[in-house]
Amino acid sequence: MKQYTGDVMLLVTAIIWGSGFVVTDIALQYLTPYQIMAGRFVLATILLTMIFGFKINTLTKSVLWKGAILGIFLFLAFVLQTVGLQYTTPSKNAFLTAVNVVLVPIIAYLFYKRKIDRYEIFGSSLALVGIGLLSIQSSLKVNIGDVLSLACAVAFAFDIFYTNLFVKKEDPISLTFVQFITASLLSVVAVLVKGDIPTSLESEGVYSVLYLAVFSTTIAYIFQNKAHQYTTATKAAIILSTESFFGMLLSVLFLHEVLSGRMVTGAVLIMIAILIAELKPSLNKNQSAKKIVLSDS
């Protein structure tokens, strides 16, 4: 039951992040990317402090350095994604960022010698193809924006992997708290360095940042970090990849984007990838049972 609870929490996170595409599109009409980052993380930190402030006194050195690592990866991922968008198209940026689905099991193998499951590789690859069909609208010519987007994928992959690793021994809320503080500090510094301090604020921009702070940041990351206690890093990456599907669906509903056959095909492939991740335990049990029967015979 806990496993399915974690999967549902990840799915809700993906839906929220999908809605973030629509909200961010509105926010960018009034604020710069760095202002949005600083606003969402600072407000999310304040909100988390109001709700879980009692955990400040229970923070250990272990939680502090682990949460700081997650915060750095989170900040780097958003910065690389934002700067990459200045040199490449949003569709290519989204596709290249989604490469983290495939990178997670590779990171587990390279750094911790964790065996790469064939179902994980197949499911991750299928999800990646699906995201590509959903996102790519132009040529695949590589430029500096594409390189930065790939670097963003690496940062997100490390964030997913180490979140999954750290929550096994640490409290997920405490980790999220330190993660947000770290990302907030780095975002504010970025705004100061870039000279992006806003001189006026439009209500539409403020409301958009509030939504991103409350839902896309606070609730989504609490759900994600808590869910990692009950699932694997690779399955988490695959389920979270449905963010592209929900982003597409909500863009069609609210931004009136045209739904093509290729986009539908990509969505179907992502759903199949999730089913592979969900059914993998059953498939492994069936294979083990067959081996036992064969050995007995």
Side-chain angles (χ1 to χ4, degrees), residues 18-227:
S19 68
F21 285 112
V22 178
V23 178
T24 302
D25 183 71
I26 297 172
L28 284 171
Q29 299 176 29
Y30 305 95
L31 300 165
T32 69
Y34 291 100
Q35 290 171 346
I36 295 173
M37 283 178 56
R40 70 186 293 178
F41 283 126
V42 170
L43 290 174
T45 301
I46 294 173
L47 183 59
L48 206 64
T49 302
M50 292 172 61
I51 300 174
F52 299 106
F54 62 91
K55 287 185 175 290
I56 295 178
N57 295 327
T58 63
L59 296 179
T60 63
K61 290 183 178 179
S62 178
V63 170
L64 288 175
W65 72 261
K66 290 177 181 177
I69 288 176
L70 295 180
I72 291 172
F73 282 134
L74 187 64
F75 170 78
L76 288 176
F78 274 102
V79 167
L80 290 167
Q81 186 180 55
T82 304
V83 177
L85 273 170
Q86 295 178 333
Y87 304 100
T88 189
T89 63
S91 57
K92 289 176 71 177
N93 181 268
F95 171 64
L96 294 170
T97 298
V99 172
N100 70 75
V101 177
V102 175
L103 292 178
V104 169
I106 295 176
I107 289 174
Y109 172 76
L110 292 177
F111 288 86
Y112 293 91
K113 302 303 179 182
R114 177 182 174 274
K115 184 178 179 181
I116 300 180
D117 191 295
R118 62 186 180 186
Y119 295 111
E120 292 178 340
I121 291 296
F122 182 67
S124 297
S125 300
L126 200 60
L128 185 60
V129 173
I131 293 169
L133 291 173
L134 280 175
S135 306
I136 292 181
Q137 303 292 333
S138 56
S139 68
L140 288 174
K141 183 179 178 181
V142 177
N143 57 35
I144 184 61
D146 298 332
V147 174
L148 291 173
S149 298
L150 281 171
C152 164
V154 174
F156 272 126
F158 273 104
D159 180 56
I160 291 173
F161 176 78
Y162 278 107
T163 296
N164 184 269
L165 182 66
F166 292 159
V167 296
K168 304 301 183 185
K169 295 184 178 180
E170 310 293 351
D171 176 60
I173 303 300
S174 299
L175 283 172
T176 305
F177 186 74
V178 178
Q179 182 183 30
F180 280 8
I181 291 177
T182 304
S184 296
L185 292 174
L186 293 174
S187 297
V188 170
V189 170
V191 168
L192 295 176
V193 171
K194 295 290 293 185
D196 280 342
I197 300 176
T199 55
S200 62
L201 294 173
E202 298 289 340
S203 58
E204 290 84 354
V206 173
Y207 294 146
S208 298
V209 171
L210 282 173
Y211 178 89
L212 293 173
V214 175
F215 293 97
S216 297
T217 309
T218 306
I219 294 177
Y221 273 94
I222 288 176
F223 273 27
Q224 180 199 215
N225 290 0
K226 184 69 176 178

Side-chain angles (χ1 to χ4, degrees), residues 212-260:
L212 293 173
V214 175
F215 293 97
S216 297
T217 309
T218 306
I219 294 177
Y221 273 94
I222 288 176
F223 273 27
Q224 180 199 215
N225 290 0
K226 184 69 176 178
H228 274 291
Q229 291 182 312
Y230 312 120
T231 188
T232 65
T234 300
K235 182 191 284 189
I238 292 174
I239 295 176
L240 291 173
S241 73
T242 59
E243 169 192 2
S244 295
F245 166 73
F246 292 113
M248 174 205 70
L249 181 62
L250 294 172
S251 293
V252 170
L253 293 176
F254 295 101
L255 300 181
H256 307 294
E257 290 190 11
V258 178
L259 186 64
S260 66

Side-chain angles (χ1 to χ4, degrees), residues 275-291:
L275 287 175
I276 291 173
E278 290 290 344
L279 296 174
K280 187 187 73 171
S282 299
L283 293 173
N284 286 334
K285 287 180 180 179
N286 290 337
Q287 286 188 350
S288 299
K290 288 180 180 179
K291 289 181 180 178

